[in-house]
Amino acid sequence: MIKVFALPDLGEGLTESEIVAWLVAPGDEVTLNQHIADVETAKAVVELPSPFAGVVRVLHQPAGVVVHVGEPIVSFDIGGSAEPGSAEPGSALPADADADVQADAPAPAEQREANLVGYGPAVERSGHPQRRARSGGAALAAETRPTDPVAAVSAGERPRSTPPVRALARDLGIDLATVTGTGRDGLITRDDVRAHSTQSVPATAPHGAAEPSGVPPTASATPASTSIGPAAAVAGLDAAARETRSPIKSLRKLTAAAMVQSAFTAPHVTEFLTIDVTPTVELLDSLRADRNFTDAGIGILAVVAKALCLAVGRTPSVNTRWDEPAGEIVQFNYVNLGIAAATPRGLLVPNIVDAERLDLRGLADALAELTTAARAGTTTPAALSGGTITITNIGVFGIDAGTPIINPGEAAILAMGAIRSQPWEYRGQVALRKVLTLSLSFDHRLVDGEQGSRFLADIGTILANPARVLTMI
Amino acid sequence: MIDSSPQPVQLLSLDGERMPRPDFDPWVADLDGPALLALYRDMVVVRRIDTEATALQRQGELGLWPPLLGQEAAQVGSARALRDDDFVFPSYRENAVAYCRGVEVTDIVKVWRGNAQSGWDPYTVNVATPAIIIGAQTLHATGWALGAVRDEVDSVAITYFGDGATSQGDVHEAMVFAASFQAPVVFFCQNNHWAISEPVGVQAHRNIADRAPGFGIPSLRIDGNDVLAVMAATRIALDRARTGGGPTFIEAVTYRMGPHTTADDPTRYRDPAELAEWKTRDPLLRLHRLLTRLGEITPEVEAATQAQADAAAAELRAGCIGMPDPEPLSVFDHVYATPNATLERQRTDYAGYLTSFGSSDQPGEGR
């Protein structure tokens, strides 16, 4: 006997969730409550316990897909031919074909606002949830609209009707999206549903019982649901051929929102400075040779971080925040140094708290810790908030310079390029030197050209001649 | 946070060693091996029920569930100290207390399945149905206790709430009235360290137990993961209340090892190291170690306990999934104790509305 499991509302009032990973495959035998998948909602990543003991037959949704509440995600063969006892688990739909019908029925949850308890990402709620192309409901709506403009309602909205009419439609196995409303403002009436029902019944050859008040399973024979299969299959094929569409979600969505906010509110100025960092490279070599520092793993990024912290002390306006609602400029008397990190999940900018208090070894340790955590996905929420200024290391990708976008809520971001051996003026001659380009973007509301330039020049001075630090502290 | 009072009272070390404490020892002197084993069974069973309910929520069978994982000793130890005629006013997390008082496991999840407005008849088990409004139940408890004085009975009210609730005005009002009238009520605060995502230190710069003396209410600060300390403290408080000594405040220092509810993700705000540390203070582990020392734990006992827990989980699952949907008109039941004309009119109107669907296709079926 096959049991279909539909995605439940895993929080309070959630309409969709992402299947992060399946831990089982078709053919696997599972026990009751066995952890079968990880599912991410707007609130949490949760472990999904198997609702049945049996054999996994079908995974209806691949990992990485955002699924609406009520859509089938997995089917189980639980053995036997009939349900022991009469009780039908509410979320378990009777059979595959019915599952499609149930998923099409306008779930009340789709209209509900997410009701977050205590906290939650506001970003998730902006914009209407996107319905995937292969979902039955969307396919139907797309099919219906061009041929039947009267029935057209704005995309994603439930057709207008009243609860008794919806109940009637459900009992008759009719998708209201396929019904033309003749009432006021396109309201679907009881008569519309009945009229639609008499139209569609003759068109259906294998409709056994003439009684239209049959229970939902007869709905599997209506034209509405039979048309879903092929349409969905064709859509899947087409998509694979030329282009791939993936939902905008999770970190991509958050990154996009942050970048748009920054790029279109903060007037960016970007300056470049190319310097001979051979002395810094020699300093790093000498540190590596020193037994006190051999294991410290101090690299160029740590030196740049240290130089930045020292330069902030001389030009505090680069370490500020524009607080528009308060009408104030917030001057940070500490440096929470953000480090842009490419992780398997996307861009994260964790920060080193009070970086200005750390010495070079301390910074190197903090950097190592932070990148390890970012790559392992264990970065804590605390580490991702409260940054005051950011470094992005584009040199690791072999890039020299760019115009970085400021992390929202900060005043400046420094991009460090790759160190290259280049012909360079050295003591009146051309020599092969280690050369590096720094790119600094700053928010011109907070930082004028003078301050921005001095700040960048200070960092350059330290890297070009580390001993000059003595003149700055 | 300033640690203004001594360490919480502990009768059981992390290794399950009995620690002498002259002022508390007499109150648990009667607990022999079998009695301790019964407490252990309760804790294993309620943890199993709690885990099953969490799974049922993930499977779409419950709308929400507030796990009590980690708070078993605080709830079982206090509930088992009560007399049948005492009355419990719980928050929404005291499902172990409800279990100990004899609430059917299916009734415990009724509300969370959206199947009933409240899960059980409070007067059959002397447990009020869970208060979702934070701290409101403390006022009910004080009121009930004032009634007990007027009835000239020696029954005691006990009310359960969390560390977060102590920031609510209701709790303070309840304590003021309880102190003013020396009401026989026990304020049992489970300080589980987290008010959803707020750590306790944010709202309590001193220990929560220190607040009660300001109201004229004596307080005890105990290790809430030590079932013996919990039971002793509750018995002390109950005895004081029964003999005219008025209210007592107990702060049971425990830890919410799971999320606030199934809609919460504690990894977003909590250091994993903190959870790891509290796992070493697991209340079940500690009692298990004591029972092992006492020679009460045998393979047969372990198997029987596990079987009892699994049976309770199976009963919960079957009862939850097989729960019949309520009759639509039952929404009007239990609203008022006495007949009410407005409500009667609404019931009649609604019945008329329901018949407009015809007799065969009632809208209430299915979900």
Side-chain angles (χ1 to χ4, degrees), chain A residues 5 8-12 32-33 42-51 87 89-91 117 119 121 163-164 171 190 381, chain B residues 48 52 55 57-61 63-64 196-197 260 262-265 267-269 317 321-322 353 356-357 361 363 365 367:
Chain A
F5 180 65
D9 174 1
L10 292 163
E12 288 173 273
L32 181 67
N33 292 341
K43 298 173 182 177
V45 177
V46 300
E47 297 179 353
L48 194 68
S50 173
S91 64
V117 172
Y119 67 93
D171 289 349
R190 190 173 281 259
Chain B
R48 185 70 187 81
E52 193 70 10
Q57 194 280 336
R58 299 289 184 234
Q59 292 157 358
E61 302 295 346
L64 188 73
I196 308 189
S197 55
H260 170 70
T262 46
D264 172 46
D265 182 358
T267 62
R268 292 192 184 191
Y269 53 79
R317 172 168 289 270
I321 293 174
Y353 170 74
S356 76
F357 293 94
D361 44 329
E365 59 188 58
R367 292 205 302 162

Side-chain angles (χ1 to χ4, degrees), chain B residues 57-90:
Chain B
Q57 194 280 336
R58 299 289 184 234
Q59 292 157 358
E61 302 295 346
L62 296 179
L64 188 73
W65 178 254
L68 61 84
L69 186 68
Q71 299 177 222
E72 294 86 352
Q75 296 194 14
V76 169
S78 56
R80 288 299 185 198
L82 302 174
R83 254 177 20 195
D84 283 350
D85 58 314
D86 294 334
F87 210 106
V88 178
F89 293 87

